[in-house]
Amino acid sequence: MNAPLPEPRFLTADDLSDRAGFDEEFLGIGLPVPALAMLETTLLPYTHFSILMRSDKRLAAVTALGIDGSHLMDMDRSGIDWRLDPRLGESMQTGAGLYSRNDIDRGHLVRRASAVWGATQAEAAQANSDTFFYTNAAPQAAEFNQSLDLWLGLETYLLDNAADYGRRLVVFTGPVFSDRDPVYRGTGIPLMYFKVAAFLHEGGLAATGYVVDQTPQLRELPDIERPGAMDAAPPLGPFRTFQVPIRDIAALTGLDLAQLVDADRMPIAAALPTAAVTSAWRELSNPECLDLDFDLRQ
């Protein structure tokens, strides 16, 4: 059970005015933050990453992170409190009230360890701190958030085996919002999350997509308003991670992922271009189970 959260240190928008955000040329080719049409969004820049916020959900639609594996640093999180982003109204983001005195964790969308890099310790430390804005928090059942070794390890695996541009990798992460999401304290809790990793392979853009699910864990939380669809057995089980066609992620989220769909290196995505959403998902038990149209370790 989470203890009551301390009040965060007061910040102003000026404190964040120097943040450059995600570099669209990070891989040496243009790769923008995916857009979301027909909905009100706000793009917020941080150190090494940007977050596209959805006003209607008060959560991120997608985060965009550039990882420089050759400059990663090992820093702890001591002394860093979660806090609201002063550039966004409190009513447009989800803060401490959602996570206090319950078993919902503040899961990082932008993985802290992946963002902590830089030419200097000061740059890495700023990135470390920036990952603790509530805009980067994802409401996750505590048991789920603490059992994501495979999900989190995919970034490290791809950096070690796939990235051939100075060990650089771009990762887009976010919730998969749906009408089945249960409501807790006025906030819809996403049942699933997605990740799309992009890197260069033989000089061209390559990408691969993933989905992870927390449906069973949310059944155990008290005071959740469950839509009727929650009464049915979920299609996915606890802690199961899937490699999926990126076009499925685009269909489920509404994000413009066309450039990444074209770069998808999952063979079934090309072999079955009209397959129904979820029908071509591949369950992963470890990163070596990835199905790609080339050998990562060559």
Side-chain angles (χ1 to χ4, degrees):
M1 184 76 68
N2 292 336
L5 301 176
E7 288 297 320
R9 183 179 72 84
F10 181 74
L11 292 173
T12 69
D14 286 344
D15 292 323
L16 303 175
S17 61
D18 63 343
R19 301 307 197 260
F22 171 68
D23 180 2
E24 296 185 358
E25 300 292 333
F26 189 74
L27 295 179
I29 60 175
L31 186 61
V33 179
L36 186 62
M38 308 300 292
L39 290 170
E40 182 181 353
T41 58
T42 302
L43 185 63
L44 299 171
Y46 298 93
T47 306
H48 305 150
F49 65 97
S50 294
I51 296 178
L52 186 69
M53 290 291 295
R54 272 187 64 163
S55 300
D56 61 328
K57 299 293 186 181
R58 300 188 300 125
L59 295 169
V62 63
T63 65
L65 167 68
I67 309 172
D68 186 343
S70 62
H71 289 89
L72 286 170
M73 296 188 189
D74 185 12
M75 292 185 174
D76 64 33
R77 56 165 292 173
S78 60
I80 306 175
D81 294 327
W82 286 92
R83 65 267 198 209
L84 296 172
D85 189 314
R87 299 170 296 183
L88 200 62
E90 291 188 20
S91 64
M92 299 175 67
Q93 52 189 312
T94 299
L98 178 63
Y99 303 97
S100 181
R101 294 182 293 275
N102 55 36
D103 288 323
I104 294 183
D105 276 357
R106 302 169 299 278
H108 281 76
L109 289 173
V110 170
R111 184 187 178 199
R112 187 183 70 85
S114 296
V116 180
W117 59 266
T120 65
Q121 284 198 335
E123 180 184 353
Q126 182 170 275
N128 190 23
S129 178
D130 280 3
T131 65
F132 285 91
F133 283 100
Y134 275 114
T135 48
N136 188 42
Q140 297 171 349
E143 183 182 356
F144 172 88
N145 187 39
Q146 295 162 16
S147 304
L148 291 177
D149 291 344
L150 173 58
W151 178 252
L152 298 175
L154 288 168
E155 293 177 19
T156 300
Y157 182 79
L158 290 169
L159 266 177
D160 289 344
N161 294 284
D164 62 3
Y165 184 74
R167 296 191 67 237
R168 290 191 166 202
L169 187 74
V170 165
V171 178
F172 300 107
T173 307
V176 178
F177 297 110
S178 86
D179 293 339
R180 297 192 306 118
D181 293 344
V183 177
Y184 179 71
R185 295 182 180 175
T187 298
I189 309 297
L191 297 176
M192 297 188 293
Y193 292 88
F194 74 87
K195 186 194 306 280
V196 177
F199 49 92
L200 292 187
H201 177 70
E202 296 181 348
L205 181 65
T208 184
Y210 311 92
V211 166
V212 70
D213 154 87
Q214 65 172 339
T215 302
Q217 288 68 44
L218 289 177
R219 291 179 181 276
E220 307 304 321
L221 291 174
D223 304 323
I224 268 191
E225 301 170 27
R226 295 176 173 84
M230 283 290 290
D231 294 334
L236 310 179
F239 312 142
R240 291 170 70 186
T241 297
F242 291 80
Q243 182 183 0
V244 308
I246 297 172
R247 65 168 181 263
D248 284 13
I249 297 173
L252 290 170
T253 64
L255 291 164
D256 182 0
L257 301 174
Q259 184 179 7
L260 296 160
V261 169
D262 291 342
D264 196 346
R265 304 304 292 267
M266 186 179 187
I268 199 169
L272 299 174
T274 60
V277 173
T278 77
S279 66
W281 291 17
R282 174 185 176 91
E283 184 176 358
L284 302 177
S285 58
N286 57 67
E288 287 76 14
C289 293
L290 288 177
D291 186 22
L292 299 172
D293 60 7
F294 63 91
D295 189 343
L296 275 176
R297 290 163 289 184
Q298 282 186 342

